[in-house]
Amino acid sequence: MDEDHNNGGFLDMGKADRSVWLMKCPVVVAKSWKSQLASSSSSSDSQPLAKVVFSLDPLKPDDPSLHQFTMEVAGSETERIPKSYSLNMFKDFVPMCVFSESSQGSVAMEGKVEHKFDMKPHEENIEEYGRLCRERTNKSMIKNRQIQVIDNDRGVHMRPMPGMVGLISSNPKDKKKTMPVKQSDVKRTRRDRGELEDIMFKLFERQPNWTLKQLVQETDQPAQFLKEILNELCVYNKRGANQGTYELKPEYKKSAEDTAAE
């Protein structure tokens, strides 16, 4: 046990040498697992979420290039999510550790990340996964706006909001001196990651190539956050006719082409 001087507590290092896997999974799978965990917490039966299958060539068992990891997701047959996924393994990544915190506030180190995986649907499931992405995109584009009649609010709802300072002046003589807030100075609020991915797919259906500046204007999202999504979904063209633009990776581009065909 090592004392953590920052919060006055202790950091449990009992599992510090344990090897753990870090996996990035699609939003639909994460939501399915969360719902299954919520339902299983109320019952005594604990069912596995998925099964990982490791395949190798028996003639060359020590050749890592021939190793394959696949995952079979468990769940109800009524769930419309793909069941089979491929796990792309990475060993070249920044060293990371996993920590946990209990409801009582105790912190423990759960282990060191040995392997990092990207979880992607199999080729035979890519069409169904693309359909789910399009459905999520359509839902995210629907904005339910309500009109409310304000009566006798004494101007409470008319007060300036954050970001409007400098736009409104109480003195008519100072109106010429006020400077509008630049768009770059306004702090952009991050969208839900899954919702933003859906919007990105929709934009790349409209046109195949986008610059980062164009996507920032279209999505109104922070550039750094947008780069994280682009690195996962797209490739960056460093040369050629589309130099300086992003386009979808081949596995995602297929879904966009199927959408255009429909």
Side-chain angles (χ1 to χ4, degrees):
M1 305 280 285
D2 294 339
E3 184 174 359
D4 184 357
H5 297 284
N6 292 329
N7 56 20
F10 293 92
L11 176 63
D12 185 356
M13 302 289 290
K15 302 177 183 178
D17 295 329
R18 185 174 66 167
S19 296
V20 296
W21 291 1
L22 176 65
M23 184 181 68
K24 181 175 65 178
C25 65
V27 177
V28 289
V29 177
K31 289 183 178 179
S32 174
W33 283 350
K34 285 182 180 180
S35 62
Q36 291 183 57
L37 288 173
S39 59
S40 63
S41 62
S42 59
S43 62
S44 57
D45 295 335
S46 179
Q47 299 295 329
L49 296 176
K51 177 178 68 175
V52 177
V53 179
F54 173 58
S55 306
L56 54 81
D57 187 344
L59 300 178
K60 299 179 180 179
D62 298 327
D63 188 351
S65 63
L66 301 177
H67 295 173
Q68 291 184 348
F69 290 88
T70 57
M71 177 177 287
E72 300 293 331
V73 176
S76 171
E77 293 298 327
T78 58
E79 290 185 299
R80 297 174 53 240
I81 64 172
K83 302 298 183 183
S84 300
Y85 295 84
S86 60
L87 301 180
N88 298 330
M89 184 176 68
F90 300 92
K91 287 188 176 181
D92 185 18
F93 55 87
V94 178
M96 291 179 283
C97 299
V98 178
F99 297 87
S100 65
E101 183 176 5
S102 67
S103 56
Q104 290 77 25
S106 59
V107 181
M109 183 173 173
E110 299 295 337
K112 298 178 180 179
V113 177
E114 180 182 6
H115 297 309
K116 181 177 178 293
F117 293 89
D118 279 349
M119 183 177 176
K120 296 182 180 180
H122 276 165
E123 291 292 335
E124 60 269 20
N125 295 324
I126 196 70
E127 184 176 349
E128 177 63 21
Y129 182 71
R131 186 178 295 109
L132 289 174
C133 291
R134 290 193 294 273
E135 289 180 2
R136 286 187 3 229
T137 301
N138 294 333
K139 288 181 181 179
S140 66
M141 301 299 285
I142 299 175
K143 297 181 180 180
N144 297 323
R145 297 181 178 179
Q146 296 181 346
I147 298 176
Q148 180 182 0
V149 179
I150 301 174
D151 194 13
N152 296 327
D153 71 318
R154 297 182 180 179
V156 174
H157 294 278
M158 300 301 291
R159 292 174 182 171
M161 300 297 290
M164 295 180 64
V165 178
L167 292 175
I168 302 175
S169 174
S170 58
N171 188 349
K173 295 181 179 180
D174 295 336
K175 285 186 178 180
K176 295 183 180 179
K177 300 179 182 180
T178 57
M179 297 294 293
V181 179
K182 295 181 180 179
Q183 185 66 23
S184 58
D185 296 337
V186 178
K187 186 176 180 180
R188 295 183 170 92
T189 304
R190 289 191 175 192
R191 288 180 177 268
D192 174 74
R193 195 179 190 91
E195 180 184 353
L196 180 56
E197 287 182 0
D198 295 337
I199 294 174
M200 297 291 287
F201 282 126
K202 202 73 175 179
L203 290 173
F204 279 101
E205 287 178 13
R206 192 200 304 174
Q207 68 182 50
N209 295 87
W210 293 85
T211 64
L212 177 62
K213 183 178 180 181
Q214 289 174 328
L215 290 171
V216 169
Q217 293 175 345
E218 289 284 340
T219 62
D220 193 30
Q221 292 295 287
Q224 188 60 39
F225 180 48
L226 206 56
K227 281 184 179 180
E228 295 178 13
I229 305 295
L230 289 170
N231 290 336
E232 297 174 8
L233 303 180
C234 304
V235 292
Y236 181 72
N237 296 307
K238 296 182 179 180
R239 57 182 62 87
N242 297 317
Q243 182 179 3
T245 65
Y246 290 88
E247 64 180 75
L248 286 177
K249 291 181 178 178
E251 58 265 30
Y252 296 115
K253 189 180 294 185
K254 185 177 186 301
S255 300
E257 291 174 353
D258 292 344
T259 303
E262 292 177 2

